[in-house]
Amino acid sequence: MKLWEFNKLKTIPNFFLFYGDEFYFDIYEEKIKQNIQNTNILKLYFDEYDFDIARNHLAQNSLFGDKNSLIIKTDKFPTNVDKLVDIVGDNYFYLFFYGDSKKAKTKPFKNNFVRFFKPDLRELIIYSNEYMKIKGFSLDINHLKYLIEKIDYKYLFRELDKLALVENVNNVNNKIIDKLVFNYNETSFDEVFDDLFLGREYLKKLEYLLFEGNDEIAILLSFIRYIRILYMFNLHLKNIGFENVSRDVLGYQIPKNLEDIRKQIAIKIKEDKFLEFFEILLSSELEMKSSKDKSAVLFKTFIQIKNLI
């Protein structure tokens, strides 16, 4: 089924597979949740998937006639999906597959599946306007286009959330966007981050980056991106294997020596540590926005991360 065909449906089928570009996943998960809000919902995300638990939830009958809903989000295609579709009956089953699109098994879902492709500018504008309407603000079309062209579209809603906090948000212009929004295409600082995790000297390199005039917020947001990629490497290594890691995670092959370094770092980190890393980094991002001494916040952040390694 094409996306435009799904969008025209008056009633969403009670079982469906979504896969492809992750930009759309949260959008359509919200649409699904509105459709099943009066049902008994079970969510199984990533490593939480267990076929017996999923099957029992879909198969059980409620004494009060309530319906059951199952939402699975995973980057590893679940086993026995065909059996879940067979027993769904009057209940609901929705699968959001984050893995390689080539590994998505559409056959059990018949025609009830959509593959998302990279959104174009027109689609990004449409989804942005829908999102801003929910948040209660709007941007001039030219400023919205400027924002979309400035950032990686995967971070679009996150950046709109930032703009929503501006006092006169409906008057936001390109100058304000430049101040508040990070350009995700700026220089990578991965070498310093590698040194931090490998126990090498990193402070002098960090000082030199600042001496050269690199922006503290740019470094911090690059660090957030770096940790996110490490987390995806970690999941791939533990659940899929050591082959084609960067190609599967990033969509392209990085030099082997760099991939080996990221593998070495990622495999040693326990999953619960990643949550702690993200909490520190996101807290530092908020603090840095209002701090007069952004360098101090940046160095404090590196030290906090170092203490957790």
Side-chain angles (χ1 to χ4, degrees), residues 226-261:
Y226 175 89
I227 296 294
R228 180 176 178 273
I229 291 173
L230 277 188
Y231 179 57
M232 291 190 291
F233 266 52
N234 179 280
L235 292 176
H236 191 290
L237 293 168
K238 292 180 178 178
N239 296 297
I240 300 176
F242 280 70
E243 299 297 324
N244 303 319
V245 181
S246 60
R247 190 180 67 188
D248 290 347
V249 169
L250 302 173
Y252 57 90
Q253 184 68 44
I254 63 175
K256 185 177 183 303
N257 63 316
L258 295 181
E259 183 178 61
D260 288 343
I261 289 173

Side-chain angles (χ1 to χ4, degrees), residues 69-108:
S69 298
L70 173 66
I71 297 177
I72 297 175
K73 295 171 67 173
T74 182
D75 55 1
K76 186 176 182 181
F77 207 83
T79 56
N80 298 316
V81 161
D82 55 332
K83 295 180 181 178
L84 296 179
V85 172
D86 287 342
I87 65 171
V88 69
D90 293 330
N91 292 319
Y92 300 89
F93 168 39
Y94 300 105
L95 171 60
F96 293 84
F97 180 53
Y98 286 72
D100 185 344
S101 294
K102 295 178 182 178
K103 297 180 181 179
K105 300 176 183 178
T106 60
K107 187 175 180 179

